[in-house]
Amino acid sequence: MEKKDLDWGSLGFAYMPTDYSYVSNYKDGKWDEGGLTEDHSVKLSECAGILQYCQQVFEGLKAYTQKNGDIVCFRPDLNADRMFNSAARLVMPSFPRDRFVDAVKQVIKGNAAWVPPYGSGATLYIRPYMFATGEVIGVQPADEYQFRILTTPVGPYYSGGVKPVKIVVPDYDRAAPRGTGNIKAGLNYAMSLYPSMLAHKEGYADNMFLDPQTNTYVEESGGANIIFAAKDGTLVVPVSHNDSILPSVTRRSLEYVAENILGMKVVRRPVRFDEIGDFVECGMCGTAAVISPVASVTKDGKETKFENGYTTVGPVMKELRQTLVDIQTGDREAPEGWICHVC
Ligand code: PLP
Ligand code: COI
């Protein structure tokens, strides 16, 4: 199969329609059969639940072309589980997990020509999402929904590729204690837009959000979990007292890679913001971000620099990133069940 004629190496993280999307509708208490569509638009009632009370959840994962030309995706079962949980929290019908994985495979296969070639550095980003199409005016869950998957080829999330970026602690929270920070719902991202806009205006690439209850502990960025490397090489993974951090597939995979493949020590614990100066490296990890190295974090005008990762990617983040990417692209043997073969 011939790949599309695109300049894969110069792609950023932006939307470009591909040949097919996937769509399935929920009505009268059940999901229809679903299938691929060439229609990339959605028609809604003005009173649809998504437009009035923001019932929407989504996922993000990627497809890769391996050296031998095979197309695979990474741990879609974990995205299926997380979307199941996200939907339940917003009183939406869950899309069955096996159908989720099957739909992801169908849409990747349909768009195989759009999955960037091996070695290009680009990937096909898969965005499953679900939203309320049913009409509501009183505050209540809708009774009709649409599940869709769009795909788009992407390059690095932060412009400039894999180089350390500066981030800032905002005066706003992205989640509430006992709120929805631990699910993947569009409403969390709407919350993060204002502090993100302020951060960009001041020249920062992103925000580092602290815990919304005490503003003392590190939580995550607007679109990725945070990890640190300590002086002795230990990987330190922040844990939330409020359970307001999104359970990142990438972060959970990196913990496994660090512990079981690279033989590193991994410590999961609440991390106070005032101790981050003791760490020598920091990274933002997620599907879109992969691992984006963090040069420094600024709070109240004071910049804390990570000494092994300020000007170039530090050795710990570099090795973690390379190992994960090699697993995803098939250059290194993957732990059982991580790679889902598509075609
Ligand atoms: N945290 C937030 C807020 C995110 O939006 C994402 C992106 O999905 C992540 C973390 C990383 O999660 P994952 O590794 O599953 O993509
Ligand atoms: C992802 O990494 O898949 C995300 O959803 C993050 C988003 C901010 C692009």
Side-chain angles (χ1 to χ4, degrees):
M1 170 267 323
E2 194 133 324
K3 298 285 185 190
K4 296 282 171 186
D5 182 21
L6 290 185
D7 183 5
W8 304 102
S10 65
L11 290 176
F13 199 85
Y15 173 65
M16 174 189 297
T18 55
D19 291 341
Y20 298 102
S21 291
Y22 179 94
V23 61
S24 176
N25 288 294
Y26 181 89
K27 196 176 175 178
D28 300 327
K30 54 182 188 307
W31 289 102
D32 69 13
E33 202 182 323
L36 298 184
T37 174
E38 291 179 43
D39 186 354
H40 301 295
S41 61
V42 175
K43 187 162 185 281
L44 285 173
S45 159
E46 62 186 356
C47 214
I50 173 58
L51 299 180
Q52 303 307 325
Y53 304 122
C54 226
Q55 269 186 300
Q56 185 262 15
V57 295
F58 69 101
E59 273 305 323
L61 68 159
K62 284 175 171 172
Y64 310 81
T65 304
Q66 300 194 320
K67 204 181 226 162
N68 63 3
D70 284 4
I71 292 177
V72 301
C73 63
F74 187 67
R75 309 190 79 180
D77 51 320
L78 297 191
N79 297 97
D81 287 345
R82 191 168 62 188
M83 189 150 173
F84 199 92
N85 297 335
S86 299
R89 177 66 175 81
L90 296 192
V91 202
M92 301 166 77
S94 292
F95 196 70
R97 293 174 175 89
D98 54 338
R99 282 203 56 195
F100 179 102
V101 174
D102 180 60
V104 164
K105 287 167 90 167
Q106 278 189 48
V107 79
I108 296 172
K109 201 169 174 184
N111 292 306
W114 293 90
V115 184
Y118 173 82
S120 64
T123 51
L124 187 71
Y125 185 69
I126 323 290
R127 169 58 62 87
Y129 60 110
M130 189 206 296
F131 51 95
T133 51
E135 294 165 352
V136 287
I137 195 71
V139 179
Q140 62 182 27
D143 58 5
E144 293 181 11
Y145 294 85
Q146 187 164 109
F147 170 85
R148 294 184 75 93
I149 308 179
L150 68 83
T151 67
T152 188
V154 295
Y157 190 64
Y158 295 102
S159 57
V162 192
K163 65 170 203 311
V165 294
K166 298 183 177 199
I167 63 176
V168 64
V169 175
D171 292 333
Y172 299 87
D173 297 318
R174 73 174 277 280
R178 304 194 296 174
T180 54
N182 60 355
I183 63 162
K184 205 158 168 61
L187 54 90
N188 291 332
Y189 298 79
M191 292 268 282
S192 73
L193 291 178
Y194 189 73
S196 161
M197 178 268 296
L198 294 179
H200 291 153
K201 228 182 194 168
E202 292 169 15
Y204 297 102
D206 215 320
N207 286 124
M208 175 186 275
F209 289 97
L210 303 187
D211 76 282
Q213 189 129 39
T214 68
N215 266 272
T216 309
Y217 293 91
V218 174
E219 294 239 304
E220 59 178 326
S221 75
N225 280 181
I226 304 271
I227 50 177
F228 297 101
K231 275 201 179 76
D232 67 356
T234 300
L235 188 71
V236 179
V237 180
V239 166
S240 169
H241 288 298
N242 306 299
D243 192 19
S244 44
I245 296 179
L246 187 77
S248 156
V249 174
T250 313
R251 190 255 305 153
R252 285 178 277 162
S253 304
L254 287 169
E255 287 178 25
Y256 183 93
V257 164
E259 250 168 357
N260 299 288
I261 299 180
L262 302 178
M264 291 167 63
K265 187 170 166 210
V266 178
V267 172
R268 303 159 184 88
R269 64 171 174 84
V271 172
R272 290 191 326 276
F273 182 77
D274 66 11
E275 61 171 307
I276 68 168
D278 294 342
F279 298 125
V280 290
E281 289 181 52
C282 174
M284 293 184 282
C285 63
T287 298
V290 192
I291 299 183
S292 296
V294 176
S296 68
V297 189
T298 298
K299 181 173 188 293
D300 302 326
K302 182 173 173 287
E303 184 183 25
T304 303
K305 298 179 180 177
F306 298 103
E307 69 182 54
N308 291 355
Y310 189 66
T311 45
T312 51
V313 191
V316 174
M317 297 303 153
K318 195 171 176 181
E319 188 172 29
L320 281 170
R321 185 188 164 96
Q322 195 57 50
T323 311
L324 181 68
V325 170
D326 285 350
I327 288 172
Q328 290 166 332
T329 54
D331 290 340
R332 185 174 188 132
E333 195 182 339
E336 179 76 28
W338 280 22
I339 296 299
C340 172
H341 188 264
V342 176
C343 56

